[in-house]
Amino acid sequence: EMVMIAMCYSQSFMYYLGVDIGGTTIKAGLVDDAGRLFEQSRIPTVTGDWPLCFSNLIALIRTFQSGFPLQSIGIGVPGLADSRTGRIRVSPNIPCLTDVSLGKVVADEVHVPVTVENDANAAAYGEFVCGLGIGLQHMAYLTLGTGVGSGVILNGALFRGTSGYAVEFGHTTIQPAGRACACGSSGCLESLASAGGILLTAQELMQEGEISSLQAMVEPLSSELIFEAARAGDPVAHRAFEVTGHWIGIACGNLINTLNPQLIAIGGGVMGAGDMLLNPVIAAAKRHSIAASFEDCRIVQSKLGPEAGVIGAAMLARDALTSPCQNSLT
C-alpha cells in the first residue's frame, strides 16, 4: 500500500526526487532546488525478490513523474554503493540489491538522470546542506534504525573514500567477541545500537534476572515497545537505552578523536527516544575522547530527522547535474 503526503508546490522551481531505501520502507519525496520537501510517498521494502522490488520502485518513481517535471533522481541505498559505477556491491539487510547496477537500470526505465549513494551518506549530505551542517566544514552523521549507517563531511564535501565505501562506522568493532553482525563480523556497532540491538540488550538484561514489565507483554517485543516501557518507568527498558547510548558514545568518541569534527548529528528511527538515548551518548563520548577535541564538537539529534535521507538524495541528484560524478547515470 502506498502512502502519500501532499504539500503545496510551485511551478517556478526545479524539482528533484529523493528516494531513501530502508530495511522496511522505501520513502520518496519531491524536493525543490532549495532543499524544501513537498510531496512524500512510501511503500514497504521487498528485501528478497529483486523483480518485485524493482517494479515497486519504478511504480513509485512514476507516480511523481506523472505530476512533476523531475530534473534528476537521487537514490540512497543501505549497503556498499560503488561510487564509480552505481553498482551495489553488498546490502546485508536487503539482499536482493546485491550486485545490481541500480543507477543504470532505473535510469533506463524512467529516462531521467539517476544518482546512487549509500543511504547514510545521503542523509549526512542532507543534514550538511539543509540542516544543522549549514556553514560547517567538518561533520559526521550517524543514523540508527534497522542498521547503523554513517556519513562524513570533510572540508565541506562528502567523503567517499576510494570506491564509495568509506566510513561504514556501523561495522567498526566496538565490543570484541561480541554479537554476530549481518556483515559477517562480530561486535560491530550495528549489532549493539540498531533497533534489533536494543531488543537483544533488553532480552539479555531480563535473562540476567532483572524484573521488567516487558516480560508480561503478549505482542512481539520491539525497540518501540521498549521505549514506551522506559518512558513509563520500567528500569530494564531504561537500562537498555543507557547501555545502547554507552556503545554509541564510545563510537562517537572514536569519531571525535579520529576526525576532530565540529558536529556529530544522530538521526534515524531509534533517535525517536531523544534525550533518553542522547544523554548517555554524550556522557560516554566525553569519557572516551580527548577533552580538547570533545570541546570542539557538538553531539546533537538530527534537525532533518527521518527526512534527511530523502532530502540528501535529492540534493545529491541536484548537485550531480552541475558537477557530474561517475555514479550519476542517464
Side-chain angles (χ1 to χ4, degrees):
E1 180 183 356
M2 184 177 295
V3 180
M4 182 166 279
I5 304 166
M7 293 176 63
C8 295
Y9 64 95
S10 168
Q11 294 289 350
S12 61
F13 292 101
M14 291 190 290
Y15 292 98
Y16 309 86
L17 187 66
V19 179
D20 183 11
I21 301 179
T24 56
T25 303
I26 298 177
K27 298 186 293 185
L30 185 73
V31 181
D32 71 9
D33 48 9
R36 289 173 294 199
L37 181 61
F38 291 88
E39 197 105 356
Q40 298 179 68
S41 181
R42 61 182 183 268
I43 58 174
T45 305
V46 175
T47 60
D49 182 337
W50 165 243
L52 181 57
C53 179
F54 181 63
S55 64
N56 288 352
L57 176 60
I58 295 302
L60 178 62
I61 291 170
R62 284 179 173 153
T63 62
F64 286 90
Q65 274 191 306
S66 64
F68 308 99
L70 300 179
Q71 301 294 314
S72 58
I73 298 167
I75 303 176
V77 295
L80 302 183
D82 193 317
S83 58
R84 301 161 297 189
T85 65
R87 178 169 164 254
I88 313 305
R89 293 295 299 270
V90 63
S91 181
N93 294 315
I94 310 178
C96 73
L97 289 178
T98 300
D99 287 327
V100 173
S101 296
L102 189 62
K104 183 179 189 308
V105 294
V106 172
D108 285 348
E109 280 289 322
V110 301
H111 308 294
V112 174
V114 176
T115 296
V116 174
E117 184 60 75
N118 170 268
D119 59 347
N121 281 356
Y125 195 73
E127 194 70 42
F128 171 57
V129 298
C130 299
L132 295 173
I134 293 174
L136 302 185
Q137 286 291 300
H138 316 290
M139 65 167 281
Y141 180 92
L142 296 177
T143 177
L144 315 175
T146 305
V148 173
S150 55
V152 163
I153 305 295
L154 295 179
N155 297 316
L158 183 63
F159 179 68
R160 293 184 172 93
T162 301
S163 309
Y165 313 151
V167 202
E168 281 289 334
F169 218 71
H171 298 291
T172 54
T173 302
I174 299 296
Q175 188 186 45
R179 296 170 185 163
C181 182
C183 74
S185 186
S186 59
C188 293
L189 177 63
E190 179 167 300
S191 72
L192 297 161
S194 63
I198 293 173
L199 173 59
L200 288 173
T201 297
Q203 290 172 334
E204 288 168 1
L205 290 170
M206 288 186 285
Q207 287 168 3
E208 291 170 6
E210 296 195 43
I211 305 301
S212 170
S213 63
L214 300 173
Q215 292 161 322
M217 288 189 177
V218 177
E219 56 188 311
L221 204 55
S222 66
S223 60
E224 291 84 2
L225 288 174
I226 295 168
F227 170 64
E228 292 299 330
R231 196 164 61 174
D234 184 272
V236 170
H238 196 273
R239 178 67 179 146
F241 278 95
E242 284 186 339
V243 171
T244 302
H246 170 76
W247 295 122
I248 299 167
I250 291 174
C252 288
N254 290 337
L255 277 172
I256 289 168
N257 288 348
T258 303
L259 300 175
N260 187 208
Q262 298 161 287
L263 176 77
I264 298 175
I266 308 178
V270 172
M271 271 311 295
D275 288 345
M276 187 186 301
L277 187 60
L278 191 62
N279 288 339
V281 168
I282 294 170
K286 185 175 183 179
R287 287 196 303 272
H288 292 277
S289 60
I290 298 165
S293 192
F294 178 80
E295 290 170 7
D296 285 341
C297 182
R298 292 186 298 138
I299 302 175
V300 295
Q301 191 166 351
S302 162
K303 179 182 178 180
L304 299 187
E307 277 76 48
V310 166
I311 293 172
M315 293 296 91
L316 284 165
R318 177 199 69 178
D319 295 345
L321 291 180
T322 54
S323 301
C325 57
Q326 290 176 313
N327 65 336
S328 180
L329 302 167
T330 53

